[in-house]
């Protein structure tokens, strides 16, 4: 079962910064969920943003796409670790990466 990405205008976001794995990260609070920024795409590459979010959703990873006039940003549920620790997490991120490579 896939999880479809949530899509919202960037100006509606509740953004914050947080420290994780020795670096400062951008975060997004939406409803009762917390998300971290994973990739930004220029306005001309909207299809790539949606492809990445959809590929993650196929692996049951909740994503959010924020839209502005200049870019699309993909955010991933904070419950998904930066470095995958289980075989299924590694598979999820590998499939998402493969999807990105196929559309580049």
């Amino acid at each position: 079962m896939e999880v479809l990405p949530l899509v919202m205008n960037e100006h509606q976001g509740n953004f914050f910064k947080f420290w994780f794995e020795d670096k400062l990260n951008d975060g997004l609070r939406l409803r009762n969920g917390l998300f971290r920024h994973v990739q930004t795409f220029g306005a001309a590459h909207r299809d790539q943003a949606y492809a990445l979010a959809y590929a993650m959703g196929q692996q049951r990873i909740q994503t959010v796409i924020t839209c502005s006039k200049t870019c699309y940003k993909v955010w991933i549920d904070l419950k998904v670790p930066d470095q995958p620790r289980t075989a299924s997490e590694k598979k999820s991120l590998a499939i998402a990466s493969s999807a990105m490579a196929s559309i580049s």
Side-chain angles (χ1 to χ4, degrees), residues 6-17:
L6 302 171
V7 181
M8 62 182 280
N9 288 322
E10 189 171 65
H11 72 274
Q12 296 174 320
N14 186 354
F15 302 100
F16 62 94
K17 300 275 188 188

Side-chain angles (χ1 to χ4, degrees), residues 13-33:
N14 186 354
F15 302 100
F16 62 94
K17 300 275 188 188
F18 67 101
W19 191 259
F20 180 68
E21 303 227 342
D22 296 326
K23 64 181 177 180
L24 192 60
N25 290 268
D26 292 316
L28 167 67
R29 185 173 62 86
L30 180 62
R31 299 182 190 138
N32 292 329

Side-chain angles (χ1 to χ4, degrees), residues 4-66:
L4 296 176
L6 302 171
V7 181
M8 62 182 280
N9 288 322
E10 189 171 65
H11 72 274
Q12 296 174 320
N14 186 354
F15 302 100
F16 62 94
K17 300 275 188 188
F18 67 101
W19 191 259
F20 180 68
E21 303 227 342
D22 296 326
K23 64 181 177 180
L24 192 60
N25 290 268
D26 292 316
L28 167 67
R29 185 173 62 86
L30 180 62
R31 299 182 190 138
N32 292 329
L34 298 173
F35 298 85
R36 67 180 163 88
H37 176 251
V38 291
Q39 194 159 356
T40 299
F41 297 90
H45 299 286
R46 177 180 68 179
D47 57 337
Q48 292 179 1
Y50 279 84
L52 175 59
Y54 182 75
M56 290 180 171
Q58 288 181 314
Q59 300 304 310
R60 291 181 281 201
I61 299 171
Q62 181 63 66
T63 58
V64 175
I65 300 172
T66 56

Side-chain angles (χ1 to χ4, degrees), residues 65-83:
I65 300 172
T66 56
C67 310
S68 73
K69 290 181 180 181
T70 60
C71 68
Y72 292 85
K73 294 181 181 179
V74 178
W75 305 78
I76 189 170
D77 192 324
L78 266 176
K79 292 179 257 176
V80 177
D82 191 39
Q83 296 297 320

